[in-house]
Amino acid sequence: MPRRNTLFFVLDIISHYYAAMTIPFNIPPHSENALKYIENSFRGSKLSGDGDYNKKCVHWLNNYFKSKLSVVTPSCTSALEMSMLLADIGPGDEVILPSYTFSSTANAVVIFGAIPVFVDIEPDTMNISPAEIKKAITPKTKMIMPVHYAGVGCKMDEIMAIAQEHSLIVVEDAAQGMLASYKNKPLGAIGHMSAVSFHDTKNIVCGEGGCLVINDDKFLARAEIIRDKGTNRQKFLNGQVDKYTWVDKGSSYLISEVTAAFLLAQLEDSQQITLPRLSAWATYHNGLKQIEEKGHLKRMSIPKECLGNAHIYYILLNSQDDRNKLAQFLKNEGIMTTSHYVPLHSAPAGRSFGRFVGDMNITDDLSNRLLRLPMHSHLKNEDTLTVVNKINLFFQN
Ligand SMILES: *Cc1c(COP(=O)(O)O)cnc(C)c1O
């Protein structure tokens, strides 16, 4: 038996044993060809950025987003940073974003000396509220960053219209958005630029990785330079100049061939990887309908114009206390659940680097009552049914 199979056999036994005791919150997805591609990547003479696997990932992503250019990056965080450089965000500028998001969205703004302006979310999706965006616009506002929470699209038509009216740039934080859509467009394909994550807590993964999607022509030329240490190396490789040199600001936003090989296998399998998540999502959603009707909790919802990717399944309990008690009860039953973001406007760094507009009631309230159920592509139907049954049991007692 080849060594690889033996290893998988052992892992399989361990994971079955483990699964018998607990239902983990997340297990990163596997893909058929990952090991083969990673092995191949070593055989090439080029291990650094822009090799064959990198090019294949870019080709896949360009095709998927129908973007002008999608570049793979070391993380969604670095893609967000790259978008700030491209948009020339700097001291004095203001960027409007939801308080209910990950630190990376705000950090990208802060490290370039600009001010994150936090606004409230909408209660049905936990996504940024277009009405609150309007209230926060000042002459210094330069950008809006919608975050598609749980892989559910923000009201992008309204947001793009506000942006157009005030000449603002829209950078989508589509970290959680792979294979989800808004009005039949992939999340990430709508704003002027978008950042996607392939971190191992997301749907499609390569360990650590991301992608910057450029949907507006005017950012194309500098993107090639900024990602490549501020040099015009790309022009040199294309034969447009005979030497390459330092021409602009920049950094290193490339990924190695090994990571790209891993990513390509995941991208090619992305539909397959998403199916078990969608199935788990549906089991939760159907299984918790009655308990919602009894008034014990509210299930997450997806607006008609959006197609979800089952990145997250969350429920909103009636109080923080209920949430914490249910989480503890499920933990005792071997079921791992988690809350989510501490709103950034009340976090220590958010208070010192940013400011907020509006009362933040919805953000403060919902973040305290939200619970995320186990969600990954290894979940079996019996696992999700167990979770549903235990939640029902909790409310019977
Ligand atoms: C995961 C996540 C990020 C960060 O992604 P990395 O690839 O880890 O940098 C940023 N924003 C949101 C909304 C996320 O969920």
Side-chain angles (χ1 to χ4, degrees):
M1 200 194 282
R3 267 221 318 274
R4 207 159 83 191
N5 289 348
T6 318
L7 176 65
F8 269 30
F9 183 60
V10 172
L11 284 177
D12 216 37
I13 293 174
I14 294 171
S15 76
H16 273 104
Y17 180 67
Y18 191 63
M21 298 186 299
T22 63
I23 301 178
F25 181 72
N26 180 48
I27 305 175
H30 293 165
S31 43
E32 266 309 288
N33 288 325
L35 287 177
K36 188 173 91 191
Y37 288 1
I38 289 169
E39 205 175 325
N40 279 345
S41 74
F42 287 117
R43 299 224 179 86
S45 53
K46 186 176 168 65
L47 291 173
S48 57
D50 292 337
D52 286 345
Y53 279 108
N54 267 272
K55 285 184 183 139
K56 284 178 180 163
C57 289
V58 166
H59 180 78
W60 193 100
L61 292 162
N62 280 338
N63 196 41
Y64 170 76
F65 289 110
K66 306 273 180 288
S67 56
K68 303 284 194 240
L69 178 70
S70 301
V71 293
V72 284
T73 56
S75 64
C76 175
T77 304
S78 56
L80 288 167
E81 290 168 19
M82 202 178 142
S83 76
M84 297 299 140
L85 280 167
L86 281 166
D88 267 324
I89 294 295
D93 295 334
E94 294 179 357
V95 175
I96 299 172
L97 71 164
S99 169
Y100 191 70
T101 182
F102 191 55
S103 61
S104 294
T105 327
N107 258 327
V109 177
V110 167
I111 61 174
F112 292 103
I115 297 167
V117 177
F118 302 111
V119 299
D120 213 348
I121 49 175
E122 303 203 299
D124 54 339
T125 56
M126 311 207 46
N127 281 337
I128 193 165
S129 152
E132 296 299 315
I133 292 175
K134 282 188 197 162
K135 290 183 204 161
I137 292 174
T138 75
K140 290 180 175 173
T141 306
K142 206 154 170 192
M143 181 187 283
I144 307 170
M145 296 174 86
V147 179
H148 305 298
Y149 183 64
V152 176
C154 295
K155 288 185 175 155
M156 289 309 293
D157 278 355
E158 289 173 49
I159 293 169
M160 294 309 288
I162 296 169
Q164 175 141 34
E165 191 188 333
H166 297 271
S167 306
L168 307 176
I169 296 166
V170 175
V171 172
E172 293 172 66
D173 182 336
Q176 306 174 8
M178 278 306 283
L179 265 63
S181 63
Y182 168 85
K183 297 191 177 174
N184 295 320
K185 280 190 183 163
L187 301 186
I190 305 158
H192 302 102
M193 292 182 267
S194 304
V196 175
S197 176
F198 303 118
H199 184 267
D200 78 350
T201 52
K202 302 303 195 294
N203 289 25
I204 309 301
V205 311
C206 62
E208 298 273 2
C211 145
L212 179 72
V213 184
I214 298 173
N215 300 315
D216 185 325
D217 280 341
K218 71 168 178 276
F219 299 116
L220 286 177
R222 271 187 91 210
E224 298 282 13
I225 293 165
I226 282 176
R227 63 191 283 271
D228 219 347
K229 300 95 187 168
T231 70
N232 57 352
R233 200 175 68 101
Q234 206 58 42
K235 274 197 166 156
F236 168 72
L237 294 175
N238 297 340
Q240 290 160 280
V241 291
D242 55 12
K243 272 197 287 258
Y244 77 87
T245 182
W246 184 26
V247 294
D248 196 350
K249 285 179 194 167
S251 187
S252 180
Y253 292 120
L254 299 116
I255 67 170
S256 93
E257 273 291 277
V258 182
T259 307
F262 185 2
L263 180 57
L264 182 67
Q266 287 267 310
L267 292 173
E268 288 177 349
D269 270 1
S270 54
Q271 301 277 354
Q272 287 302 324
I273 288 170
T274 308
L275 285 177
R277 298 185 84 109
L278 293 170
S279 154
W281 199 98
T283 306
Y284 286 146
H285 207 60
N286 296 330
L288 297 171
K289 188 162 187 276
Q290 282 193 330
I291 205 100
E292 181 184 68
E293 282 161 3
K294 285 182 189 155
H296 291 303
L297 54 81
K298 204 174 155 300
R299 300 172 298 163
M300 70 175 285
S301 65
I302 301 178
K304 280 196 191 63
E305 66 269 26
C306 296
L307 206 69
N309 61 359
H311 174 59
I312 286 172
Y313 193 89
Y314 70 80
I315 51 178
L316 294 164
L317 286 305
N318 289 340
S319 68
Q320 184 172 19
D321 194 45
D322 273 9
R323 190 267 307 268
N324 297 347
K325 281 184 181 144
L326 176 61
Q328 187 57 50
F329 172 82
L330 293 173
K331 191 176 173 197
N332 294 343
E333 299 284 345
I335 297 166
M336 300 305 150
T337 62
T338 62
S339 59
H340 216 171
Y341 307 124
V342 175
L344 298 184
H345 75 280
S346 53
R351 287 211 299 253
S352 75
F353 297 124
R355 62 183 177 82
F356 65 94
V357 173
D359 56 26
M360 292 295 173
N361 282 346
I362 299 168
T363 300
D364 287 332
D365 177 30
L366 300 193
S367 57
N368 281 331
R369 299 193 279 117
L370 179 137
L371 192 68
R372 290 183 293 160
L373 305 182
M375 180 52 85
H376 52 81
S377 54
H378 302 274
L379 274 175
K380 298 188 180 64
N381 201 36
E382 63 248 40
D383 297 335
T384 37
L385 284 174
T386 302
V387 177
V388 166
N389 291 339
K390 297 293 180 191
I391 294 175
N392 281 313
L393 186 67
F394 175 80
F395 285 107
Q396 270 162 30
N397 296 336

